[in-house]
Amino acid sequence: MQEVRYERPTTIAEATELLAQSNGITKILAGGTDVLVQMRINSQIPSLILDVKHIPELRELRIDGDGLLLGAAVPSVELGESAEARKGYPGLVEGAEYIGSSQIQSRASVGGNLCNASPAADTVPALFALGAECRIAGPDGERTVPVEEFTTGVTTSCLQKGELLVSIRIPDPAAESSSAYLRFTPRNEMDIAVVGAGAAITLDKGGTCTAARLALGAVATTAIMVPEAADALVGSKIEESDLAKVAELASAASKPITDRRGTADFRRHVSGVLASRTVAAARDRAKAA
Amino acid sequence: MAKTHAQTTINGEHVEFLCEPHESLLEVLREHLGLTGTKEGCLTGDCGACTVNMDGRIVCSCLVFAAEAAGAEIDTIEGVARDQKLHPVQQQLLEHAGLQCGICTPGVVMAAKLLLEHNDNPTEQEIRYYMSGNLCRCTGYDKIVRAIQAAASEIRAGA
């Protein structure tokens, strides 16, 4: 039987070195809520289990004038317990809180949700909408990539050998702005998104939209931005006719497959419905902000 | 194969164990340490039968590597009753017949106990949301929820 190692580095340099030297299957471990399940389903024992939860940069949660800094291994429960995060980044908190039970919330991280690279990941449409950036460390130093470029396909990411996600940064939201995430699932809780939609909306004092970002999840191999629908909102008051246009454009942008959780036609329809509802929710919050 | 050595605290006592690096905390609790009160259910983190408290949070011990327990504080069902006296959650589950086969019960107790430590007056909806990761296929939840409400009253009265 192959050698299995569990390592618990306490610095980024130590982690990237272990990753760079590792041969065979390597699993970066944050909350483990995907790693252990996949290990059992695939009957595949990794040769290196790299527990990154003891690296301070990956456990940092800070909100200041520069925005939200979220370490890649911060569990969802800590994000949800932050009143500042709930106020400034409600779309992201909603996405994170949809994931699993109280037990799962204790362990599962937004960074892990992103790295697991499921097309249905609940935090990713909100990260897209909020313009998140990913800090990546590797043996040759660090780089930053926009979140839209992080996931490259179903279960694949832009991480190269030796690299790990350190943290996610979201810019400080403008004064009259807010965000929302909604998803459709057959059950209310403990389910996987059939469609998810994240939106971030900025208004001026008169309630006219000055900036909008909209993203959809579970309707393509990765989450997708829908810039044509978001751009159509800029300059509008986001009224019923504007929301109808968003729905139409979001349905058109949606590229879903048919599987046991929903047909492609159904998902295209729901993409439009959810996109308009999510934009309306973000608009209402922005007005109250 | 190189085993991993871990020192941890379980139910307030210092514990050392050797495990395979990929063994789960659930396996070590049950198979190595004889703490069979924690139950194995789905092994995918859906059912909550294996719920234990780790550093003040409830976790599915099937989704924790035992090696991660090094330096942590783990509480299991074996540590809940004190001096032959059941915890109010345990006592009220008995009185409300909130269990039949009992497989989900240790996990239910661990989750409900922590809920009540943070909030001794939860609404029914708060209880149902918090307990959504503890599946029971016998009692249908109603009795479990009522037992937790009764335990909350008992804790409030005693506080």
Side-chain angles (χ1 to χ4, degrees):
Chain A
M1 198 174 159
Q2 59 156 352
E3 187 77 11
V4 188
R5 287 161 68 206
Y6 168 87
E7 297 285 351
R8 186 191 274 195
T10 54
T11 65
I12 292 170
E14 202 186 332
T16 55
E17 195 180 324
L18 284 161
L19 287 171
Q21 289 166 354
S22 169
N23 295 308
I25 303 163
T26 302
K27 286 290 178 187
I28 298 176
L29 175 72
T33 53
D34 288 312
V35 168
L36 276 99
V37 174
Q38 288 160 5
M39 183 179 87
R40 292 197 183 104
I41 289 174
N42 303 328
S43 301
Q44 203 172 52
I45 297 169
S47 50
L48 174 64
I49 300 163
L50 191 77
D51 185 351
V52 295
K53 288 191 294 299
H54 296 264
I55 304 171
E57 289 90 338
L58 276 84
R59 291 302 292 266
E60 196 173 358
L61 170 59
R62 197 173 71 218
I63 297 169
D64 56 26
D66 291 335
L68 167 67
L69 177 70
L70 182 65
V74 172
S76 292
V77 68
E78 288 183 22
L79 186 66
E81 283 171 356
S82 163
E84 283 178 298
R86 303 191 84 87
K87 183 170 180 289
Y89 312 89
L92 179 61
V93 176
E94 277 168 332
E97 291 194 334
Y98 272 128
I99 300 170
S101 60
S102 313
Q103 286 87 332
I104 301 300
Q105 290 281 307
S106 300
R107 301 259 298 165
S109 61
V110 172
N113 194 227
L114 181 60
C115 289
N116 187 54
S118 160
D122 280 313
T123 63
V124 177
L127 290 173
F128 274 38
L130 289 163
E133 289 196 324
C134 305
R135 176 184 167 196
I136 296 168
D140 303 320
E142 299 203 356
R143 62 191 177 109
T144 302
V145 302
V147 70
E148 300 98 291
E149 293 169 22
F150 188 88
T151 310
T152 53
V154 179
T155 74
T156 59
S157 78
C158 73
L159 291 180
Q160 302 295 311
K161 186 171 170 59
E163 288 188 325
L164 83 162
L165 178 65
V166 174
S167 57
I168 296 162
R169 174 171 284 293
I170 297 177
D172 189 38
E176 265 98 32
S177 73
S178 196
S179 58
Y181 173 76
L182 291 174
R183 68 173 190 178
F184 177 82
T185 51
R187 294 184 296 180
N188 280 344
E189 300 296 319
M190 302 282 284
D191 210 338
I192 297 169
V194 175
V195 179
I201 299 291
T202 305
L203 306 174
D204 67 15
K205 298 276 182 208
T208 300
C209 176
T210 57
R213 287 171 66 92
L214 175 66
L216 293 172
V219 295
T221 54
T222 67
I224 53 169
M225 292 294 290
V226 194
E228 59 277 25
D231 292 347
L233 291 167
V234 175
S236 83
K237 297 269 192 187
I238 316 187
E239 288 164 347
E240 285 309 312
S241 60
D242 305 307
L243 292 172
K245 187 75 185 159
V246 164
E248 187 187 315
L249 291 166
S251 284
S254 174
K255 300 278 180 288
I257 56 165
T258 294
D259 67 13
R260 66 197 168 95
R261 290 183 294 118
T263 63
D265 280 347
F266 176 69
R267 284 189 156 120
R268 264 190 293 275
H269 172 69
V270 174
S271 297
V273 174
L274 274 188
S276 61
R277 287 184 189 169
T278 309
V279 165
R283 172 202 64 195
D284 292 345
R285 285 178 181 161
K287 280 183 181 168
Chain B
M1 187 187 299
K3 294 218 177 194
T4 298
H5 172 247
Q7 299 194 42
T8 184
T9 305
I10 300 179
N11 300 326
E13 287 181 19
H14 178 80
V15 173
E16 289 186 44
F17 61 82
L18 285 173
C19 66
E20 303 294 345
H22 60 281
E23 265 184 304
S24 71
L25 177 59
L26 174 66
E27 286 172 284
V28 166
L29 288 172
R30 289 183 56 85
E31 310 296 332
H32 298 223
L33 302 174
L35 294 169
T36 54
T38 303
K39 301 306 180 197
E40 177 182 311
C42 64
L43 292 181
T44 52
D46 291 300
C47 79
C50 66
T51 300
V52 301
N53 186 310
M54 183 174 186
D55 292 329
R57 310 262 193 212
I58 48 167
V59 300
C60 292
S61 60
C62 75
L63 296 188
V64 178
F65 287 110
E68 293 181 74
E73 295 206 5
I74 310 290
D75 290 323
T76 69
I77 187 68
E78 285 87 352
V80 174
R82 297 277 168 184
D83 305 323
Q84 305 298 311
K85 188 174 176 350
L86 293 179
H87 184 276
V89 170
Q90 293 173 304
Q91 189 63 42
Q92 294 298 342
L93 280 167
L94 275 178
E95 289 177 17
H96 287 77
L99 67 157
Q100 287 179 33
C101 87
I103 290 284
C104 74
T105 310
V108 167
V109 171
M110 296 312 292
K113 178 174 177 281
L114 187 66
L115 167 65
L116 298 183
E117 283 169 13
H118 289 293
N119 178 3
D120 67 8
N121 197 10
T123 63
E124 179 181 341
Q125 190 177 22
E126 284 170 336
I127 294 171
R128 287 184 185 270
Y129 266 100
Y130 193 82
M131 302 297 295
S132 65
N134 291 86
L135 303 188
C136 169
R137 298 287 93 137
C138 304
T139 71
Y141 304 108
D142 214 56
K143 293 170 176 179
I144 294 175
V145 172
R146 287 183 209 183
I148 295 169
Q149 288 172 318
S153 309
E154 191 182 327
I155 288 167
R156 288 197 306 277

